[in-house]
């Protein structure tokens, strides 16, 4: 029930209650005034309408204050109840006294209708308003809980995104550090190679030294090639790992899409299925209830699909909720 419907119900309840109160007040004044005039001393007959007006004013005050308290969910203790019943009984007694003194039971019954209707409608309207206030409070609590859950999910998503950004930054920093180390190593190797060439030029006269230096150069070149081959092998392995990871992600995404499509087809099948004309076997009914639960159908819809009672389906939904994380489930 939304806010607009609640306001419409409250206006209808208020209009009906005040219509009954107005009718009872007018009827009471017209009925009680002749009775009071008959027992009033001579010369004071003009005061006869005061008593029913006072009693009915107390009724109006009680109804108005009860309505205001019910809207805000407040309770005033036992005195308002005593005042409400006392004014109601006074109105009942004053309206039926004339007929009772004349021993006219039909008149007593007729004149008791308005006061009794006023008493019962006052109590019923108060109960209705309290029930509406409780329902509104419960709905607001549910909305607040849903907002809190959404905010918590947003915070968790932001934390995950922040962690992903930090991981990416760490990987970039590590790659940059490795690049700088590689460049420094190449520069060092170039300097070593230049020093070797300089030694070769200085010791050109000594053939043995030249041969030794050439042999050393060949060794360094082999090491360099070996390092390059090792670097190429590592790069190839990294590319293969990235390709395998990409294939694995593609497989997982395909499996997730297939699962979503299957769930959508199951839900569509359940939504288009006709209600069961007779109870399904228990194992088939359990499968139907499980599929309805996964498709977010209500308990009553699931009961119509399997042919079992709402209580039995409610128990199965409870078993399914116990096997899910906190916060999951389907409303009835």
């Amino acid at each position: 029930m939304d806010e607009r419907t609640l306001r419409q119900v409250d206006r209808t309840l208020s209009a009906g209650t005040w219509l009954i109160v107005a009718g009872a007040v007018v009827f009471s004044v017209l009925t009680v005034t002749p009775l009071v005039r008959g027992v009033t001393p001579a010369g004071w007959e003009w005061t006869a309408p005061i008593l029913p007006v006072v009693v009915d004013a107390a009724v109006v005050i009680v109804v108005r204050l009860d309505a205001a308290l019910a809207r805000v969910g407040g309770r005033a203790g036992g005195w308002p109840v005593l005042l409400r019943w006392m004014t109601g009984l006074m109105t009942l007694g004053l309206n039926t006294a004339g007929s009772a003194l004349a021993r006219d039971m039909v008149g007593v019954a007729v004149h008791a209708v308005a006061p009794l209707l006023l008493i019962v409608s006052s109590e019923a309207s108060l109960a209705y308003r309290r029930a509406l206030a409780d329902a509104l409070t419960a709905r607001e609590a549910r909305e607040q809980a849903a907002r809190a859950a959404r905010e918590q999910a947003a915070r968790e998503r932001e934390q995950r995104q922040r962690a992903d950004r930090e991981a990416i930054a760490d990987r970039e920093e590590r790659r940059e550090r490795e690049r700088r180390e590689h460049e420094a190593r190449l520069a060092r190797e170039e300097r070593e190679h230049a020093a070797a060439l300089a030694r070769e030029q200085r010791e050109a006269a000594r053939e043995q030294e030249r041969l030794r230096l050439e042999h050393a150069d060949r060794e360094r070149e082999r090491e360099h090639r070996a390092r390059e081959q090792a670097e190429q092998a590592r790069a190839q392995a990294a590319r293969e790992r990235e390709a395998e990871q990409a294939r694995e992600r593609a497989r997982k995404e395909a499996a997730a899409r297939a699962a979503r499509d299957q769930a959508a087809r199951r839900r569509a099948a359940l939504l288009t299925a006709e209600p069961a004309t007779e109870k399904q076997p228990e194992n088939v009914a359990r499968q139907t209830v499980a599929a309805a639960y996964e498709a977010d159908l209500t308990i009553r819809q699931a009961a119509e699909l399997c042919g079992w009672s709402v209580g039995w389906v409610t128990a199965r939904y409870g078993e399914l909720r116990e096997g899910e994380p906190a916060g999951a489930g389907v409303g009835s």
Side-chain angles (χ1 to χ4, degrees):
M1 183 179 293
D2 56 12
E3 187 70 23
R4 179 180 178 185
T5 304
L6 287 174
R7 288 197 298 269
Q8 291 176 350
V9 171
D10 185 72
R11 286 197 296 268
T12 302
L13 182 60
S14 297
T17 302
W18 286 114
L19 181 62
I20 294 172
V21 170
V25 168
V26 173
F27 186 82
S28 176
V29 171
L30 296 177
T31 301
V32 177
T33 298
L35 174 64
V36 177
R37 185 182 293 115
V39 296
T40 302
W44 294 91
E45 292 83 0
W46 60 273
T47 63
I50 295 176
L51 180 60
V53 170
V54 169
V55 174
D56 293 333
V59 173
V60 172
I61 291 172
V62 169
V63 172
R64 185 69 184 88
L65 290 179
D66 284 341
L69 281 175
R71 285 191 182 95
V72 298
R75 297 180 184 272
W79 285 106
V81 178
L82 176 61
L83 178 60
R84 189 164 59 249
W85 278 91
M86 184 176 70
T87 54
L89 293 176
M90 285 180 179
T91 302
L92 177 63
L94 290 173
N95 276 271
T96 58
S99 299
L101 292 173
R103 299 183 183 278
D104 181 9
M105 301 311 295
V106 175
V108 170
V110 171
H111 288 87
V113 170
L116 289 176
L117 183 60
L118 176 61
I119 294 171
V120 175
S121 64
S122 299
E123 294 292 336
S125 65
L126 177 59
Y128 282 136
R129 285 194 174 92
R130 286 175 178 170
L132 290 173
D134 293 340
L136 182 59
T137 301
R139 191 192 65 180
E140 291 175 352
R142 289 194 298 270
E143 291 176 351
Q144 184 176 3
R147 285 195 299 272
R150 289 193 296 271
E151 292 173 356
Q152 179 64 24
R155 286 193 295 270
E156 293 176 354
R157 184 168 57 254
E158 183 178 358
Q159 291 175 355
R160 289 194 299 270
Q161 292 174 353
R162 187 184 303 111
D164 292 338
R165 290 194 297 270
E166 292 176 354
I168 292 173
D170 291 339
R171 288 195 297 270
E172 291 294 334
E173 183 180 358
R174 187 169 56 254
R175 282 196 294 267
E176 181 64 20
R177 186 171 58 253
E178 292 174 354
R179 185 186 64 79
R180 288 195 300 268
E181 293 175 354
H182 180 67
E183 290 176 353
R185 187 169 58 252
L186 291 178
R188 187 173 60 253
E189 291 175 357
E190 289 176 358
R191 288 193 300 269
E192 292 174 356
H193 185 65
L197 291 177
R199 285 194 301 270
E200 289 177 0
Q201 291 174 1
R202 287 192 304 267
E203 299 175 358
R206 301 178 59 179
E207 185 65 20
Q208 185 177 1
E209 186 66 13
R210 184 182 61 79
L211 294 175
R212 185 183 65 80
L213 292 174
E214 289 177 355
H215 179 72
D217 290 340
R218 287 194 296 272
E219 289 295 330
R220 282 194 295 271
E221 289 177 1
R222 283 196 297 271
E223 291 176 357
H224 182 67
R225 285 194 298 271
R227 284 195 297 271
E228 288 181 348
Q229 291 174 358
E231 289 291 338
Q232 292 175 358
R234 285 195 294 271
Q236 180 64 26
R239 288 193 294 272
E240 291 176 355
R241 285 195 300 273
E242 290 176 355
E244 181 62 25
Q245 291 174 356
R247 289 192 293 273
E248 183 64 22
R249 286 195 298 270
R251 287 196 295 271
K252 290 181 179 179
E253 290 174 356
R257 286 195 298 271
R260 289 195 297 270
D261 294 341
Q262 184 178 4
R265 290 193 296 272
R266 185 183 299 117
R267 177 178 174 86
L270 287 172
L271 291 175
T272 56
E274 296 293 335
T277 56
E278 59 182 11
K279 290 174 63 176
Q280 297 178 346
E282 184 173 357
N283 58 341
V284 178
R286 284 178 177 272
Q287 295 175 0
T288 301
V289 170
Y293 181 83
E294 293 176 356
D296 291 339
L297 298 185
T298 63
I299 293 174
R300 186 170 297 280
Q301 290 174 328
E304 292 176 355
L305 290 173
C306 68
W308 286 68
S309 67
V310 173
W312 185 84
V313 175
T314 301
R316 305 291 79 75
Y317 267 47
E319 294 173 356
L320 293 170
R321 289 191 190 100
E322 291 176 358
E324 287 190 349
V330 179
S332 62

